[in-house]
């Protein structure tokens, strides 16, 4: 079953998440992890990028310290290594630097399931050595809508390398359907932050679109032309 991770919601919706086996994405503000919660630790790079800022290393380290204390109760389902949004090779170099640094400075490094964020400018060949070197546990699909159209390629790569595959920022029912279509192990979306009715509508629409896409999946999987998959976004 695909794991669904929401934004940092609190209050009455938390019980709803617990009942459905969902988790929340932690970026910097601590929350009480419920028993068995499949929560994620994001690096905050996308948030900084949205605000026109460079990656805030000091804030990330403070957030990591909080995540480590939260992991005493329940280790995160996924943790995203620092990256540069739309950074291509520069992003991979930054993730490599931080993976080395974290292994050296944090004895808790091995307790976390670290994921590599892939995005515009990445190729499969670029990350082969990185995966082996750092014993990465999963692929975190970020990037533009056009890059997300390559989800089948990254999902297949993940499965072939015994990695999990996460579809990031699935903010629409169509993206939910695409994540399910390519057999993503998990996805995250802040769409779920509102009400139970909003959540139910989102999932229902996503499931309808998924069934429609599934009927066309032979076209998607047999034709390697990226535009075929893009046309379904």
């Amino acid at each position: 079953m695909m794991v669904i991770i929401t934004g940092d919601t609190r209050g009455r919706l938390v019980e709803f998440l617990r009942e459905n086996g969902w988790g929340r994405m932690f970026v910097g503000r601590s929350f009480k992890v419920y028993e068995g919660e499949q929560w994620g630790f994001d690096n905050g790079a996308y948030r900084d990028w949205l605000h026109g800022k460079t990656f805030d290393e000091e804030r990330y380290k403070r957030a990591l310290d909080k995540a480590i204390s939260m992991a005493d109760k329940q280790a995160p389902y996924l943790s995203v290594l620092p990256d540069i949004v739309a950074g291509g090779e520069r992003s991979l170099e930054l993730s490599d630097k931080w993976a080395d640094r974290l292994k050296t400075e944090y004895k808790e490094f091995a307790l976390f399931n670290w994921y590599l964020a892939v995005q515009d400018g990445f190729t499969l060949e670029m990350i082969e050595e990185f995966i082996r070197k750092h014993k990465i546990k999963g692929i975190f699909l970020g990037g533009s809508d056009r890059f997300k159209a390559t989800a089948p390629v990254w999902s297949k790569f993940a499965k072939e390398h015994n990695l999990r595959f996460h579809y990031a920022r699935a903010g629409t029912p169509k993206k939910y359907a695409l994540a399910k279509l390519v057999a993503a192990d998990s996805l995250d979306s802040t769409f779920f932050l509102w009400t139970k009715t909003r959540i139910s509508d989102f999932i229902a629409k996503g499931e309808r679109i998924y069934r429609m896409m599934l009927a066309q999946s032979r076209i998607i999987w047999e034709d390697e032309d990226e535009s075929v998959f893009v046309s379904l976004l």
Side-chain angles (χ1 to χ4, degrees):
M1 184 175 68
M2 186 166 59
V3 174
I4 295 178
I5 301 176
T6 74
D8 180 7
T9 189
R10 298 163 192 257
R12 289 175 296 178
L13 273 180
V14 174
E15 186 57 33
F16 179 84
L17 301 183
R18 185 201 299 267
E19 291 171 357
N20 286 276
W22 299 354
R24 292 164 289 175
M25 189 70 80
F26 167 69
V27 181
R29 195 163 66 105
S30 298
F31 55 78
K32 185 177 181 180
V33 178
Y34 66 76
E35 185 176 355
E37 181 171 2
Q38 305 275 51
W39 64 284
F41 172 45
D42 196 1
N43 58 42
Y46 182 70
R47 177 185 58 187
D48 290 337
W49 178 78
L50 283 177
H51 291 89
K53 300 177 180 178
T54 56
F55 178 62
D56 189 330
E57 295 191 2
E58 292 305 313
R59 183 167 60 185
Y60 171 72
K61 288 191 292 184
R62 291 194 298 271
L64 177 57
D65 288 337
K66 292 179 182 178
I68 289 171
S69 66
M70 292 162 61
D72 286 343
K73 182 172 183 179
Q74 178 77 32
Y77 173 84
L78 65 82
S79 306
V80 189
L81 286 167
D83 67 292
I84 301 172
V85 177
E89 289 190 20
R90 290 190 305 117
S91 180
L92 186 63
E93 290 169 0
L94 181 71
S95 296
D96 183 58
K97 182 189 79 170
W98 271 97
D100 285 335
R101 182 175 175 179
L102 293 172
K103 281 187 285 189
T104 301
E105 297 180 6
Y106 292 86
K107 66 181 185 299
E108 299 88 355
F109 179 84
L111 300 177
F112 283 50
N113 295 311
W114 292 102
Y115 282 47
L116 173 66
V118 298
Q119 53 201 304
D120 300 69
F122 272 66
T123 65
L124 299 178
E125 293 74 21
M126 285 171 58
I127 71 170
E128 288 271 7
E129 176 58 29
F130 186 97
I131 296 298
R132 288 191 292 269
K133 175 183 176 183
H134 298 298
K135 296 182 173 59
I136 295 302
K137 295 297 194 299
I139 300 296
F140 186 91
L141 181 70
S144 65
D145 284 350
R146 176 162 289 276
F147 185 77
K148 278 189 165 65
T150 64
V153 175
W154 295 101
S155 179
K156 181 181 178 182
F157 175 89
K159 300 299 185 287
E160 290 174 347
H161 290 76
N162 198 29
L163 305 172
R164 294 175 183 165
F165 177 66
H166 179 84
Y167 192 107
R169 297 189 297 280
T172 66
K174 283 187 179 180
K175 288 181 178 178
Y176 168 94
L178 288 170
K180 189 169 182 178
L181 185 66
V182 299
D185 297 289
S186 57
L187 64 79
D188 69 87
S189 177
T190 57
F191 193 97
F192 302 107
L193 288 177
W194 291 15
T195 65
K196 292 181 182 180
T197 300
R198 182 177 169 87
I199 294 172
S200 298
D201 288 347
F202 181 94
I203 297 296
K205 289 177 181 177
E207 289 293 333
R208 285 199 299 272
I209 296 170
Y210 164 71
R211 289 191 293 272
M212 292 170 58
M213 288 182 171
L214 191 61
Q216 304 175 58
S217 61
R218 185 177 303 278
I219 299 173
I220 296 169
W221 289 103
E222 289 186 355
D223 194 328
E224 296 181 356
D225 181 358
E226 179 184 326
S227 64
V228 173
F229 199 77
V230 171
S231 68
L232 296 176
L233 287 172

